[in-house]
Amino acid sequence: MKSPIKYILISLFTIIIINSCDKPSNKLQAGIWRGALITESGAEIPFNFDVVDSEGKYYIEIINSSERLKVDEITHLGDSIHIKLPLFDSEINGTLVDGKIDGIWTKHLANKDAQMTFYAQAGSAWRIKEKAMQPTVDVSGRWETTFISADKTDTTQAVGEFVQNQSKVTGTFLTTTGDYRYLEGMVEDNKLVLSTFDGSHAFLFTSTINPDSTMSDGKFYSGFSSIDNFTAKRNEKAILPDAYGFTFLKDTTKQIAFTFPNLEGKKISLSDSKFKNKVVILQLLGSWCPNCMDESAFLTKFYDKYHDKGVEIIGLAYERTKDFEKSKTNLEGLKKRFDIKYDILVTGYTNDKGEAAKSLPMLNKIAAFPTMIVIDKKGNVRKIHTGFSGPGTGNHYVEFVNEFDKLIDDLLAK
């Protein structure tokens, strides 16, 4: 006869196993996830991220083409998860159950918060479509592109540059004020889909590729509600206007003067002895600006290389708040992220370029962020460069770096 105690123990063990199988898991699973943001029109803006378990402490790397953006401020308690995205004052809050996150992405703006529904699935390395038809076209190359605002009152000229490997496509759109950074997606049959998410901007591009080497039915989804149209045609010789021609001095003095506080509140002037007989680079930036992030990464390395040769850099920061302490917090995050050693000054408040231009009235305008002003050892402005084509633009970035190095070398030699 079998012992009743044995039956009881077996029954209890069975109940424990069943309960443990049914109990939802709140673990943040390591590996590749697929995330998506939902626009007002219901479109998905997809991206991938890699959850890395580093000795029991998790961090995330957001993946857009060859870029991996590290996110290490993650709070996970029970089924609640909070992900603080770097630099751009935005965050994801949601619930994590059985390898799925459902929540909200919040971007904190000057006077309000912008929000989008967010969800993610563990173990999903695909981005646009898990199973897709084979491509019937190849979009590799250069495309002359025109973006048209939804109300048809504004047009933007751009150049699309793409590389296609089977169905996978990477590349970007270059504009006169900067690029759309690292885009990644695919071609299915004759349909192109590209997306990116960097913690500040959420972009989705869709279009049809036609037999006559044109793109039609182009849609550019930006953030929660913005939808622009675009058309394009293949043109390997397509170029943009010279980035050095948009902003210039209004008079013939050739010099700039200003006094603004640094992050400690100390007033810094271009006329200070620290900048005398130096080649000075003024970086007009904002902590909210992804292209400024690319430029800051470039200038940090440039400063390390050229500072001892007689180069100084001053970052003139235009934040989307008039609160000095909040601006300081955002800019300290930027400095820490890129290990910036040059001065950053809290220069002005901007929700538009016209407001920013008031801080430097000797300029005709500030056409875009970032803008870079190069000043020679005599204090004269030599070049003003609008926008920044970052590493996501491939050879364009390499060409800019080589040209910029030569410009500074020539000014140092004089």
Side-chain angles (χ1 to χ4, degrees):
M1 181 177 178
K2 296 182 179 179
S3 168
I5 296 177
K6 186 176 180 179
Y7 278 119
I8 294 171
L9 292 175
I10 292 172
S11 298
L12 288 173
F13 181 73
T14 302
I15 291 170
I16 290 170
I17 292 296
I18 292 172
N19 286 342
S20 65
C21 290
D22 292 340
K23 184 178 180 180
S25 170
N26 299 326
K27 183 180 179 181
L28 183 61
Q29 298 179 24
I32 304 296
W33 291 56
R34 179 182 186 268
L37 297 162
I38 311 302
T39 71
E40 182 180 42
S41 63
E44 277 192 353
I45 301 180
F47 62 98
N48 298 103
F49 58 92
D50 189 5
V51 175
V52 181
D53 183 353
S54 177
E55 299 180 351
K57 183 175 176 59
Y58 290 91
Y59 66 88
I60 287 172
E61 290 183 333
I62 297 176
I63 304 169
N64 294 298
S65 185
S66 60
E67 181 187 51
R68 283 181 170 249
L69 180 65
K70 187 175 182 180
V71 181
D72 54 11
E73 292 187 52
I74 302 171
T75 305
H76 180 205
L77 182 62
D79 65 355
S80 296
I81 187 166
H82 169 78
I83 303 170
K84 177 70 172 68
L85 295 159
L87 300 176
F88 303 121
D89 200 12
S90 73
E91 61 192 3
I92 292 171
N93 292 286
T95 56
L96 168 59
V97 179
D98 289 338
K100 297 179 181 180
I101 299 175
D102 290 294
I104 298 292
W105 171 52
T106 302
K107 183 178 179 181
H108 301 291
L109 304 176
N111 301 312
K112 63 178 182 178
D113 289 343
Q115 295 186 322
M116 294 179 72
T117 297
F118 165 83
Y119 72 87
Q121 172 70 58
S124 296
W126 57 278
R127 187 182 187 94
I128 306 298
K129 203 168 184 179
E130 186 172 13
K131 295 181 180 179
M133 298 170 58
Q134 290 297 310
T136 59
V137 293
D138 191 321
V139 299
S140 297
R142 203 167 174 84
W143 295 77
E144 183 179 340
T145 308
T146 302
F147 288 95
I148 306 167
S149 62
D151 60 8
K152 298 182 180 181
T153 61
D154 186 33
T155 60
T156 300
Q157 300 304 313
V159 175
E161 285 205 345
F162 311 113
V163 175
Q164 184 173 332
N165 183 5
Q166 296 182 351
S167 63
K168 182 178 179 179
V169 179
T170 57
T172 194
F173 288 98
L174 298 92
T175 76
T176 54
T177 57
D179 63 274
Y180 286 122
R181 305 195 73 250
Y182 297 86
L183 303 180
E184 180 179 340
M186 67 180 297
V187 171
E188 181 189 23
D189 191 11
N190 66 336
K191 306 296 184 183
L192 173 66
V193 182
L194 296 164
S195 67
T196 192
F197 175 65
D198 57 20
S200 175
H201 291 153
F203 293 157
L204 174 71
F205 301 84
T206 66
S207 71
T208 299
I209 314 300
N210 302 307
D212 62 352
S213 295
T214 62
M215 295 187 189
S216 60
D217 303 319
K219 297 291 183 184
F220 169 32
Y221 302 83
S222 175
F224 180 62
S225 59
S226 176
I227 307 175
D228 289 346
N229 300 309
F230 73 90
T231 59
K233 60 181 178 180
R234 192 187 293 275
N235 181 0
E236 298 303 328
K237 296 181 179 180
I239 59 173
L240 294 171
D242 183 7
Y244 288 102
F246 290 98
T247 298
F248 50 84
L249 294 174
K250 289 190 291 188
D251 56 37
T252 58
T253 61
K254 296 184 180 182
Q255 296 195 346
I256 285 178
F258 60 77
T259 301
F260 301 115
N262 65 12
L263 301 188
E264 288 69 47
K266 179 183 176 182
K267 295 294 182 66
I268 303 294
S269 297
L270 189 57
S271 59
D272 292 347
S273 59
K274 176 180 180 178
F275 308 110
K276 292 291 185 182
N277 299 315
K278 300 285 184 68
V279 173
V280 180
I281 299 164
L282 304 182
Q283 179 197 18
L284 279 60
L285 75 150
S287 65
W288 44 268
C289 164
N291 287 130
C292 299
M293 179 177 70
D294 289 335
E295 187 180 73
S296 296
F298 161 71
L299 285 176
T300 296
K301 294 178 181 178
F302 183 89
Y303 187 73
D304 290 342
K305 178 181 176 182
Y306 276 87
H307 180 238
D308 290 342
K309 297 180 182 181
V311 172
E312 290 290 346
I313 299 176
I314 307 173
L316 302 182
Y318 294 81
E319 294 300 287
R320 289 180 168 172
T321 173
K322 296 181 179 180
D323 185 327
F324 180 87
E325 291 301 319
K326 186 172 182 179
S327 295
K328 175 181 175 180
T329 298
N330 291 338
L331 293 167
E332 283 176 339
L334 179 74
K335 289 196 71 170
K336 181 180 178 181
R337 180 79 178 186
F338 296 107
D339 191 25
I340 296 174
K341 300 181 180 68
Y342 52 84
D343 290 306
I344 292 184
L345 313 184
V346 180
T347 304
Y349 162 77
T350 179
N351 269 328
D352 61 64
K353 301 177 186 69
E355 181 72 22
K358 295 177 183 177
S359 64
L360 297 172
M362 66 288 298
L363 299 179
N364 69 316
K365 63 180 178 180
I366 296 176
F369 291 98
T371 289
M372 190 156 39
I373 303 172
V374 179
I375 300 172
D376 66 19
K377 289 188 283 187
K378 294 181 179 180
N380 295 323
V381 173
R382 301 299 293 267
K383 294 281 188 179
I384 302 179
H385 186 277
T386 297
F388 187 75
S389 295
T393 65
N395 287 335
H396 296 282
Y397 174 72
V398 175
E399 290 170 2
F400 168 80
V401 171
N402 292 336
E403 291 173 0
F404 193 75
D405 283 356
K406 184 179 185 307
L407 170 63
I408 301 305
D409 286 335
D410 289 346
L411 292 178
L412 287 171
K414 293 180 179 179

